[in-house]
Amino acid sequence: MTFVDEVKNAVTPRAALLVIGVLGLQLLFIASYVGALHKPKPTDVAFGVVAPQQMSQQLVSQLDGLPGGPLDPRTVSSEAEAREQIMNRDIDGALIVSPQGRTDTLLVASGGGTVLSSALERILTQVEAGQQRTVRTVDVAPASPDDFDGLSSFYLVVGWCVGGYLCASILAISAGTKPANRQRALIRTAVMAVYAVAGGIGGAVIIGPILGALPGSVWGLAGLGALVVFSVGMITLALEALTGIVGIGLAVLIIVIAGNPSAGGAFPLPMLPDFWRAIGPALPPGAGTWVARSIAYFRGNAVTGPLLVLSAWAVAGTALTLLLSMRRRGGPDDGRTEAAASPSPSGGSTAA
């Protein structure tokens, strides 16, 4: 056998295509992470201004005209209203102008990301210095001292996402990516549900009572974790049922390559480029990170939209998995169906 024949036997055309696909994922990984995170800067940060009526609009216009457009300022009626809007996650900070003195108050929420709150403090300090005024910073929703840079919620959600697609991948690799019938698809869904509950509780207990990294309701975080794991796992199972082993790569593309850098974890959403800021809230890592921070630092506010996003992924993945399990197959999927991989009573294997 010649060397060329050995190469053909060692690397089949299908294997070569998969290798090319992996190379594409690798390059997309680099492009996505570096593109999203290499030059973070605040842009259009929702920001409140509480000031005497005669100077309020002028100050809003001044802040709106800052070079690079870091702020999206709007007038707020009072300090109490500004605090409430921050806790509701409608704005990320607010400037309270003192009508008598020359020291104003900057309200921030480091629980939503210490990098963003530090950026706001830097910007407003420069603005105030230009008017011979000073600013003092008040943290309305401070991050836990054991939650460095507010990253614990992000890493928690990343762990849940990894568990979801790895569990689905193991189910596929062990017995074929496409379940042979609806009953086996239901079994996989049930396994994923049990795994999701265990993963959600385990993650919440580790990050809360054990490590003390995040405050907030342990059971609230556990419920979120179960939903994150299940949604990621089911969409992975659906992609596997649709495309075979390629579905694992597609799940990595959605969750890891697109989802993680756009999640607002390392840098909050207002500091990301427009593309990643736009897609982040619609993907499981971004929705999960937002809810985890809301549970930990914002009294559980502003979670309805992200929870609906996660639920939509879960429902779509479950429905697609079950529907695809009922269709008739005209050919093999990725080399094995689940039935084909099942041992027969005589010790051989049965065909699907």
Side-chain angles (χ1 to χ4, degrees):
M1 182 178 294
T2 67
F3 177 75
V4 173
D5 292 331
E6 290 285 0
V7 172
K8 289 181 179 179
N9 287 334
V11 184
T12 64
R14 180 171 175 273
L17 289 175
L18 290 174
V19 168
I20 293 172
V22 170
L23 175 61
L25 287 177
Q26 173 184 296
L27 298 179
L28 284 172
F29 183 98
I30 296 170
S32 182
Y33 277 71
V34 177
L37 307 176
H38 77 289
K39 193 178 180 181
K41 62 177 182 178
T43 306
D44 292 331
V45 179
F47 191 78
V49 174
V50 180
Q53 187 174 4
Q54 62 271 21
M55 64 178 299
S56 176
Q57 192 55 51
Q58 179 182 356
L59 182 55
V60 167
S61 299
Q62 179 188 359
L63 295 177
D64 191 39
L66 290 176
L71 303 179
D72 178 17
R74 71 285 311 267
T75 301
V76 179
S77 60
S78 67
E79 179 176 348
E81 176 65 19
R83 287 174 175 268
E84 190 65 23
Q85 287 193 26
I86 291 173
M87 292 305 299
N88 289 334
R89 309 197 74 178
D90 295 324
I91 58 177
D92 296 298
L95 180 66
I96 316 299
V97 177
S98 172
Q100 288 87 25
R102 302 195 65 80
T103 299
D104 300 328
T105 301
L106 171 64
L107 304 180
V108 297
S110 61
T114 58
V115 178
L116 179 58
S117 60
S118 298
L120 289 176
E121 186 172 6
R122 184 176 62 254
I123 292 168
L124 270 299
T125 298
Q126 293 174 353
V127 170
E128 292 281 274
Q131 299 179 352
Q132 289 76 50
R133 299 179 70 88
T134 58
V135 63
R136 68 182 185 96
T137 301
V138 176
D139 202 337
V140 176
S144 165
D146 296 315
D147 181 14
F148 178 74
D149 275 355
L151 291 174
S152 296
S153 54
F154 172 58
Y155 290 134
L156 174 64
V157 172
V158 168
W160 282 330
C161 289
V162 169
Y165 68 73
L166 283 183
C167 180
S169 299
I170 289 171
L171 289 173
I173 293 171
S174 64
T177 54
K178 299 181 181 179
N181 53 52
R182 183 173 59 179
Q183 183 178 2
R184 293 185 183 180
L186 286 170
I187 291 172
R188 286 188 178 184
T189 301
V191 169
M192 183 57 64
V194 173
Y195 177 86
V197 171
I201 294 174
V205 169
I206 289 171
I207 205 164
I210 294 179
L211 297 178
L214 276 186
S217 168
V218 172
W219 288 111
L221 289 172
L224 168 65
L227 182 56
V228 170
V229 175
F230 187 72
S231 64
V232 171
M234 290 313 301
I235 201 64
T236 303
L237 285 178
L239 292 170
E240 292 165 352
L242 183 65
T243 65
I245 198 171
V246 174
I248 297 175
L250 293 176
V252 170
L253 176 64
I254 294 171
I255 305 302
V256 178
I257 294 175
N260 285 352
S262 65
F267 299 106
L269 289 175
M271 301 193 73
L272 297 180
D274 291 343
F275 173 75
W276 285 269
R277 187 192 304 198
I279 67 172
L283 299 176
T289 299
W290 179 277
V291 175
R293 283 177 171 161
S294 289
I295 291 173
Y297 299 117
F298 296 92
R299 304 188 300 227
N301 291 328
V303 299
T304 302
L307 288 177
L308 288 175
V309 168
L310 291 169
S311 299
W313 282 100
V315 170
T318 302
L320 191 57
T321 298
L322 297 179
L323 287 173
L324 290 172
S325 71
M326 293 187 288
R327 71 178 184 180
R328 296 176 62 88
R329 269 182 215 89
D333 63 337
D334 63 328
R336 298 197 314 161
T337 63
E338 190 168 348
S342 303
S344 68
S346 62
S349 61
T350 60

